Each structure stands twice: as structure tokens, then as C-alpha cells.
Amino acid sequence: GAVVSQHPSWVICKSGTSVKIECRSLDFQATTMFWYRQFPKQSLMLMATSNEGSKATYEQGVEKDKFLINHASLTLSTLTVTSAHPEDSSFYICSATGRTVQETQYFGPGTRLLVL
Amino acid sequence: AQSVTQLDSHVSVSEGTPVLLRCNYSSSYSPSLFWYVQHPNKGLQLLLKYTSAATLVKGINGFEAEFKKSETSFHLTKPSAHMSDAAEYFCVVTAGTYKYIFGTGTRLKVLA
């Protein structure tokens, strides 16, 4: 199957700092990438959808200025959590899809963010 | 509107016995359906997908699912559970181009 990588897998930062998470599709062109947040023992919550070369579409209630998403190429999307606070601590997962994978979502391994 | 319901939040089975994880969907057109597995602190791994071809879909690790349009179901089965199958399972349905709806998940516990 198609492979999606995510980096870093773990990050601990101080409150007020910014954190960037990268999501890469390694063997296919990802025209669309998704960013999810997952709370313990819950399903995934979609934060935003990004298409290559255009602005991300954010879900209701997700702050655009806090969670900056860039999808600059067909293999890379980044999520930047700006001025992180303890309530931003969570498990963030990206996924990617495209025509070459018949619109199937392939997920990254996730990033655990802990804000102190 | 499209929706998906996973009927059991928790399922426990003994090792070596069959697994049944239930998923019902609602859709105004012929959707694509997926099952994913998530182990603790990991991303989601695709088990199998239905995209309007054969109604019985075989996936990885011995899992399979049958698409039943009349019952609007897409239940996941495995003949014999293994300890390594213990994980969270998500049923996902498409709701348009590059739009997906997730079920709330079923936690499978496998007893020795």
C-alpha cells in the first residue's frame, strides 16, 4: 500500500512556542491531505483539508491562525501549531489521498504533542 | 446525508474464535467504504475497501467484509482472532469527492 510519513513522532515544547509537523506521501502524489486531531479513546476529529497549491479548508471551530496548514507540493503538507498552549496537547494525524490511489486515504503514524 | 454507525463500542473475543465488528451506513448514492485499524499511539492502517466491485472484500491479516446494500451494512469479520488483532477499528464511508465520515470506533479485546 501507499506510504505516508509524519515527523516528528513526538514533540514536547514550552507554552507559547510554535511547533511544525510534516506529513509526506512517499510513493504517490497526494492532491489532497487531511489533518486530524485525536483525543484519548475517541475517534478522529477532522481539522482541515488541504489541496496542493491552494489554501486549506478548516472545519468549524478550528482556528485558522492557530493551526497553519501549508500544502506546497504534491508530497508535503505541514501543520504549524502557533503559540502552543497546554490545551493543544494531543495526537495529530495526517492522511493523504489522490487519484493515483483511487481516493483511498492513507494515514501517517501520528505526532504526539505535549505542551508544558 | 451520509452517515456511519459502528454498533459496538467494545467487543471481546477469545483467541482463536471468530471476530465480528458491525458497521451500518446511510448514503444517498453508492459510497466507497473502508475499514481501518489503529493500534495504540499509531496511525490508521487500511484493512480493506469496497468501491462497487465485488461485494465480498478480502483485506490484510485475514480480515474480510461484505457489502450488503439491502441491509446498508459493511461488517468486518475474521475467522480466528489473534492476540495481535487487539486494537481500535474504524469504519469509514465516503461522502463526496475526498470527503469521509468516520465511525466512532470499536475497541477489540482478545482474551487469551
Side-chain angles (χ1 to χ4, degrees), chain A residues 38 43 103-105 108-109 112, chain B residues 36 38 41 43 49 98 100 103:
Chain A
Q38 187 176 34
S43 187
E103 301 183 52
T104 300
Q105 279 192 96
R112 176 75 59 189
Chain B
Y36 289 90
Q38 184 181 31
N41 298 308
K49 63 180 179 181
Y98 301 145
Y100 307 86

Side-chain angles (χ1 to χ4, degrees), chain B residues 13-36:
Chain B
V13 301
S14 297
E15 190 175 21
T17 63
V19 176
L20 170 64
L21 304 183
R22 298 183 294 166
C23 173
N24 283 99
Y25 71 93
S26 172
S27 178
S28 55
Y29 65 98
S30 295
S32 294
L33 292 148
F34 308 84
W35 275 101
Y36 289 90

Side-chain angles (χ1 to χ4, degrees), chain B residues 8 11 13 17-23 75-78 106 108:
Chain B
D8 306 292
V11 170
V13 301
T17 63
V19 176
L20 170 64
L21 304 183
R22 298 183 294 166
C23 173
H75 301 335
L76 182 70
T77 60
K78 182 173 181 177
T106 298
L108 176 65

